[in-house]
Amino acid sequence: MEKKKIYSVVIFLFVSIVLVNSIILLGANNRIERKNLKSILNYPQNDKYIDVLTDENPDDVLDEDFLYDGEQEDGTIIDDTKRDGNRKPKPKPGDKPNEYAMAVQKSRSGVVIEQSSRRVLLNEGMNERCFPASTTKVLTALVVLNNLPLDRVVSVPKQAAGVEGSSIYLRAGQKINVEDLLLGLMLRSGNDAATALAIETAGSVEKFAELMNKTAKELGANDSNFVNPHGLHDDNHYTTAYDLALITAKAYENPEFVRIASTLKAKITIDDEVYYIGNKNKMLKLYEGANGVKTGYTTKSGRCLVSGAYRNNMQLITVVLNYNDMWNDTIRMLNYGFDNFEMTSYEDAFVNRKEGAKKIEIEHPSHLSSDWSELYYPLRSDNSEYLVLKSA
């Protein structure tokens, strides 16, 4: 009898182990991740959340704009949505690479500027052409804000449904206003939101791209070309860190842009149903004074980040394109700007001339204000610089 009991216990334990392993494997196959479990635990089940905790991914994998979404080490493609019929085929061994794309991909570009003056404070190859991925959406948001009211209700066009990459899961015919589309664009990097906004603004993606390029050129971003509103890869879709910084500086003049880009979590309404979304931009939590802006990633662009932070009356903007450690590099670059420069009144900047100080020539700032006492310019905090006006 004792042996039978022992055998029964062994069999019970064996069956239990098999069942537990099966459950674990089932969970892995269905991609049950820590962030999803946290979402279930932290939020009421009757509310709807669109990947609100993506930015807490412990592996720090940006899940936006992947050319081959969910690609595994063995080359297997996992696609939960099954909606990406236009996904580009994975290249095969021996395929000839696009030489232009490879040339741009090897580049990286970084810059720090002060927003009001557009002065470059740190240059790390700022004029190198790179693929911008979803940082494109800074320009998309700017163009939309220049052309559409926030309360305009948009009927989602069929072209916007099922766009590959990051999504807020729009379906054709759904109703959503411009503000909520912009929140979906900037917080969740929704490529479907970008497409819907582009078509609502200009009638087509192609016409919207023309508006994007026109706006960029007007801002002095002369080494860029945009062909879509979301940044999904195209060999002819490129920019530089400096160009993107100029575009972002202009966007920062719009308080609605700053409000949206600096929002941590938001509630949006689609067809009278409420959804909650969280911002993918970790800088909003990592850095004191951070107030934007946008992350980006494709397999060809590498990791990209446009960031902004405001301290001591100074608004800095950083852009890093194809920086593998984009969070820490952005923090390093922002620290450099805040540690070495301060906003100096024009009156002091013209008068106080330390011996051996470097002369900084600027254009007459009449476009900013008629009262020079209200004007400030970023100069080195050790008083080693002073301002002079360029002669006509």
Side-chain angles (χ1 to χ4, degrees):
M1 282 297 289
E2 291 299 324
K3 287 184 178 181
K4 286 185 179 180
K5 287 183 179 180
I6 292 173
Y7 289 146
S8 298
V9 171
V10 170
I11 291 170
F12 175 77
L13 290 173
F14 176 78
V15 171
S16 299
I17 291 170
V18 170
L19 285 173
V20 169
N21 285 335
S22 298
I23 292 170
I24 291 172
L25 287 172
L26 180 63
N29 288 335
N30 284 282
R31 303 177 77 188
I32 297 177
E33 300 176 4
R34 186 180 76 170
K35 65 184 181 186
N36 295 334
L37 293 176
K38 288 176 71 177
S39 180
I40 292 169
L41 292 172
N42 291 343
Y43 298 106
Q45 291 184 352
N46 61 337
D47 286 336
K48 298 183 179 180
Y49 292 83
I50 302 176
D51 291 338
V52 72
L53 293 172
T54 295
D55 62 350
E56 296 183 9
N57 189 333
D59 297 324
D60 192 27
V61 175
L62 297 179
D63 64 345
E64 67 184 78
D65 302 349
F66 284 104
L67 188 59
Y68 314 116
D69 221 4
E71 184 173 347
Q72 305 300 296
E73 289 183 0
D74 62 0
T76 303
I77 302 295
I78 296 175
D79 184 357
D80 286 341
T81 66
K82 303 297 182 186
R83 300 185 307 138
D84 299 339
N86 296 324
R87 189 183 301 281
K88 296 180 182 180
K90 183 184 176 184
K92 299 175 183 177
D95 281 357
K96 185 177 180 180
N98 181 299
E99 293 180 2
Y100 175 80
M102 293 298 290
V104 177
Q105 184 186 1
K106 291 176 182 177
S107 301
R108 83 171 195 168
S109 187
V111 73
V112 180
I113 71 168
E114 190 276 318
Q115 184 267 334
S116 64
S117 65
R118 277 48 165 184
R119 184 185 181 187
V120 174
L121 308 185
L122 181 63
N123 177 355
E124 295 187 355
M126 68 180 190
N127 293 315
E128 292 290 325
R129 285 184 179 181
C130 295
F131 299 131
S134 276
T135 58
T136 297
K137 289 165 181 156
V138 175
L139 178 55
T140 299
L142 175 60
V143 173
V144 169
L145 286 167
N146 286 343
N147 288 277
L148 295 179
L150 292 176
D151 59 358
R152 168 87 67 88
V153 176
V154 176
S155 179
V156 177
K158 62 181 181 180
Q159 299 95 318
V163 178
E164 65 178 309
S166 291
S167 177
I168 59 171
Y169 309 109
L170 297 173
R171 298 191 302 274
Q174 288 182 315
K175 299 293 192 295
I176 178 172
N177 67 30
V178 169
E179 180 172 356
D180 286 352
L181 281 171
L182 284 169
L183 286 164
L185 176 84
M186 296 300 290
L187 274 64
R188 297 308 309 154
S189 200
N191 297 331
D192 48 359
T195 303
L197 286 166
I199 293 172
E200 183 69 19
T201 302
S204 71
V205 167
E206 293 74 20
K207 290 291 185 183
F208 187 81
E210 292 178 10
L211 270 180
M212 295 173 75
N213 287 313
K214 180 176 182 290
T215 302
K217 295 297 185 291
E218 290 172 350
L219 299 177
N222 297 315
D223 203 15
S224 300
N225 190 63
F226 301 93
V227 301
N228 63 56
H230 39 60
L232 285 169
H233 181 76
D234 188 294
D235 290 348
N236 293 315
H237 187 98
Y238 57 85
T239 188
T240 69
Y242 180 63
D243 279 6
L244 202 46
L246 291 178
I247 291 166
T248 306
K250 182 63 177 179
Y252 262 86
E253 294 177 5
N254 188 319
E256 296 297 347
F257 175 88
V258 179
R259 176 179 64 82
I260 290 170
S262 60
T263 297
L264 276 171
K265 295 181 181 180
K267 178 175 70 174
I268 65 174
T269 304
I270 306 173
D271 269 356
D272 298 324
E273 289 193 67
V274 172
Y275 297 82
Y276 295 88
I277 59 176
N279 201 319
K280 293 183 179 186
N281 184 7
K282 289 183 179 181
M283 290 300 296
L284 296 175
K285 296 179 180 178
L286 289 175
Y287 199 80
E288 181 185 351
N291 56 1
V293 181
K294 188 71 193 73
T295 59
Y297 178 89
T298 68
T299 54
K300 289 191 176 180
S301 73
R303 291 168 178 257
C304 304
L305 177 63
V306 179
S307 190
Y310 184 85
R311 292 182 184 177
N312 301 322
N313 199 36
M314 184 161 62
Q315 176 68 56
L316 297 187
I317 292 168
T318 61
V319 180
V320 293
L321 303 176
N322 195 19
Y323 275 61
N324 188 52
D325 194 11
M326 66 179 194
W327 305 113
N328 285 319
D329 279 315
T330 294
I331 290 171
R332 168 181 61 81
M333 294 165 75
L334 285 171
N335 283 343
Y336 175 84
F338 286 120
D339 290 346
N340 291 280
F341 294 86
E342 63 183 24
M343 298 303 286
T344 306
S345 70
Y346 271 58
E347 292 177 336
D348 290 341
F350 285 119
V351 174
N352 294 336
R353 299 188 181 185
K354 182 179 176 181
E355 185 177 352
K358 180 181 177 181
K359 177 174 65 176
I360 304 296
E361 290 187 319
I362 63 166
E363 302 285 350
H364 192 288
S366 58
H367 65 289
L368 295 176
S369 172
S370 57
D371 185 356
W372 282 38
S373 65
E374 298 178 358
L375 298 179
Y376 291 82
Y377 192 87
L379 292 178
R380 288 194 172 272
S381 49
D382 60 2
N383 296 318
S384 62
E385 297 176 331
Y386 67 95
L387 289 183
V388 296
L389 290 177
K390 286 184 179 179
S391 56

